Amino acid sequence: MRMASLRLPDSIPSPAQDSERLSLALQGREVDEKVIVWILGHRNAIQRKQIKDTYQQLYKESIIDHLQSKLSGVLKTAMILWMNEAPERDAILANNALTRKRKKINQLQVLVEIACASSPNHLMAVRQAYCSLYECSLEEDITSNISTSLQKLLVGLVSSYRDDRELVDFNLAKSEAAKLHEAIEKNQLDHDDVVWILTTRNFFQLRATFVCYKQGYEVAIDQAINRSGNGDLGSILRGVILCIVSLEKHFAEVIRASTGGYWTRDEDSLTRAIVTRAEIDMTKIKEEYFKMNNTSLDDVVRRDASGVNKSFLMALIGAKI
């Protein structure tokens, strides 16, 4: 099943031809954003890497730096994320979330996505990229920038290396469901058992634990956490659980929250979700979004995204413009 939404043209120019057209589009005061979007919005990760390398060879300049200096607004943000390789992209997103002066809880969900939507090797690559880009570890920046109540869970999530094999111990799932239930009932969401279970067990094991929780206590674990009313920590934990249970539902929720209305519109979150998932599972996310909202993601992006960024996002989700 094809899960990526990015569509490639039948005939693709050489990296040198693409680089030449991009260089022309970036010259002078009037940047031709439509040409940039048309080219880069229809190239996969391998092709974009070839363009970056070729551009550097031809013009002795980084195309990412050139885009950074010439573009503005949300299109610049989107294009810089798109042109970076996946580990660097996630490192940039994590740093942006951590260094904002006013951190909203939905922005910190980026850290959850990076930790719970990644293979163990990708997460390790993100941490290495973070150190290279910012000269400190991701864990250090979480400790420096995040409130104490969230630190233990977030550090545990980003520093974990889970076994990604499909291994499930059902007796362990039952016993750990009981430990989670006890902590939730006592409003101890930062209990060591909670952090240990959610940050070390493989996702197959955790899904079994969540099933045992619902069977044993007649309530889904995310609903139980919601009832406990533990603010930001509860929100982060529900995000962790949703990412583990269904990534497509999580990102459909992110998109819905970012396009909820005039006062809650958040084009940065919409852009992040599309840019990071376009080459992975955006087709499934679009299907989930339609189930949840009875409207297509194509129509929502057409309505809520702005300027040339709208064309870029439409290209990434494979929509007809």
Side-chain angles (χ1 to χ4, degrees):
M1 179 183 173
R2 183 180 183 274
M3 294 192 291
S5 57
L6 183 70
R7 296 180 187 276
L8 305 181
D10 294 332
S11 177
I12 297 176
S14 69
Q17 289 171 314
D18 277 342
S19 295
E20 185 178 354
R21 290 185 67 200
L22 287 165
S23 178
L24 289 171
L26 287 163
Q27 285 179 10
R29 292 186 179 181
E30 295 297 321
V31 174
D32 196 336
E33 294 177 339
K34 291 182 179 179
V35 168
I36 295 167
V37 165
W38 177 252
I39 296 172
L40 297 179
H42 296 91
R43 302 291 185 271
N44 64 27
I46 293 171
Q47 292 157 352
R48 297 195 304 276
K49 175 72 163 60
Q50 291 171 338
I51 290 170
K52 281 193 297 182
D53 292 345
T54 304
Y55 197 95
Q56 181 72 44
Q57 291 167 2
L58 289 175
Y59 303 108
K60 305 296 184 274
E61 181 179 14
S62 160
I63 190 170
I64 292 178
D65 290 346
H66 207 172
L67 291 165
Q68 181 99 37
S69 66
K70 290 288 189 174
L71 298 179
S72 61
V74 71
L75 178 63
K76 176 169 79 170
T77 301
M79 199 60 74
I80 298 309
L81 291 174
W82 185 241
M83 290 302 292
N84 271 283
E85 293 178 57
E88 285 74 21
R89 177 193 302 156
D90 282 347
I92 291 166
L93 284 167
N95 184 260
N96 288 345
L98 288 170
T99 55
R100 285 177 184 261
K101 289 186 178 179
R102 294 185 178 181
K103 298 177 187 65
K104 296 180 181 178
I105 200 65
N106 67 316
Q107 292 158 350
L108 293 181
Q109 289 286 5
V110 171
L111 299 170
V112 173
E113 292 168 10
I114 292 167
C116 299
S118 303
S119 69
N121 288 337
H122 175 75
L123 181 55
M124 182 177 289
V126 172
R127 289 162 57 196
Q128 290 171 341
Y130 198 97
C131 285
S132 176
L133 287 170
Y134 303 109
E135 298 184 346
C136 72
S137 72
L138 179 53
E139 295 90 333
E140 284 176 313
D141 264 358
I142 289 173
T143 305
S144 301
N145 291 285
I146 300 299
S147 63
T148 307
S149 62
L150 303 178
Q151 283 178 17
K152 186 162 62 171
L153 176 62
L154 290 174
V155 168
L157 286 170
V158 302
S159 59
S160 66
Y161 190 91
R162 304 174 194 266
D163 186 344
D164 59 357
R165 292 174 295 171
E166 194 170 344
L167 299 173
V168 176
D169 180 333
F170 289 100
N171 289 327
L172 180 65
K174 191 172 181 180
S175 69
E176 292 193 334
K179 289 179 181 179
L180 291 170
H181 179 258
E182 182 179 1
I184 292 168
E185 287 295 295
K186 293 180 177 179
N187 285 334
Q188 295 176 344
L189 298 188
D190 62 346
H191 193 281
D192 286 346
D193 283 344
V194 177
V195 175
W196 172 257
I197 292 166
L198 292 179
T199 61
T200 62
R201 299 301 183 210
N202 77 64
F203 294 146
F204 300 99
Q205 180 70 41
L206 285 170
R207 288 172 196 140
T209 299
F210 300 155
V211 169
C212 287
Y213 193 103
K214 188 168 185 179
Q215 290 174 342
Y217 306 106
E218 298 183 347
V219 62
I221 187 170
D222 57 328
Q223 294 175 342
I225 291 170
N226 197 40
R227 289 177 187 174
S228 72
N230 269 271
D232 288 350
L233 181 56
S235 295
I236 292 289
L237 282 169
R238 290 194 301 275
V240 171
I241 291 162
L242 187 54
C243 276
I244 291 167
V245 171
S246 173
L247 275 176
E248 56 267 26
K249 284 186 179 179
H250 167 79
F251 283 104
E253 287 278 12
V254 169
I255 292 168
R256 179 164 68 177
S258 70
T259 58
Y262 182 80
W263 295 109
T264 57
R265 198 167 293 169
D266 178 2
E267 195 167 347
D268 283 339
S269 292
L270 173 66
T271 297
R272 179 187 91 235
I274 291 174
V275 168
T276 57
R277 308 310 293 185
E279 294 182 278
I280 303 173
D281 54 3
M282 182 51 68
T283 298
K284 289 179 71 175
I285 293 168
K286 289 174 72 172
E287 291 170 0
E288 191 62 43
Y289 187 88
F290 187 82
K291 284 182 198 173
M292 289 166 53
N293 304 286
N294 200 31
T295 187
S296 74
L297 180 57
D298 295 10
D299 289 343
V300 170
V301 172
R302 191 176 287 112
R303 181 195 72 201
D304 284 4
S306 59
V308 180
N309 192 52
K310 179 187 299 187
S311 299
F312 183 52
L313 297 185
M314 295 287 278
L316 298 193
I317 63 175
K320 292 181 180 179
I321 301 174

